[in-house]
Amino acid sequence: AAGMAAPTMEERKACWGARDEFWQCLDSHGDDAAKHIFSLFKQVKHFDKRRDFLKYKKKLETEGYRPPEAAGKS
């Protein structure tokens, strides 16, 4: 997203470490486990989108609709 700071070296190392642990887990449990985990991940993404929608809907109800400024105006 715009305005987000790049991750620090420590954050990148933590992320890579989590990735390595995840891959080791998949290697030790096989393809069926990987399919199950990715199925769960897709469900989580669905609920993330649902949560964002509900937050947006609540904002509209409390603040009202504010149209974005027209693109290209100066």
Side-chain angles (χ1 to χ4, degrees):
M4 289 183 60
T8 64
M9 184 183 295
E10 292 80 22
E11 290 169 333
R12 289 192 305 270
K13 284 181 181 178
C15 186
W16 294 332
R19 177 209 59 195
D20 293 344
E21 285 183 44
F22 176 67
W23 285 354
Q24 285 176 345
C25 179
L26 293 181
D27 289 344
S28 65
H29 289 81
D31 288 339
D32 286 340
K35 289 176 187 170
H36 179 69
I37 289 169
F38 287 119
S39 166
L40 294 174
F41 178 74
K42 287 179 187 173
Q43 292 174 33
V44 170
K45 292 304 288 177
H46 165 77
F47 288 111
D48 283 348
K49 288 178 184 176
R50 177 80 178 144
R51 180 174 177 263
D52 289 345
F53 169 75
L54 292 174
K55 284 170 48 179
Y56 176 72
K57 182 179 172 190
K58 178 133 181 105
K59 183 177 179 180
L60 285 179
E61 290 170 353
T62 58
E63 298 177 18
Y65 176 70
R66 293 194 182 129
E69 291 189 32
K73 280 191 176 178
S74 42

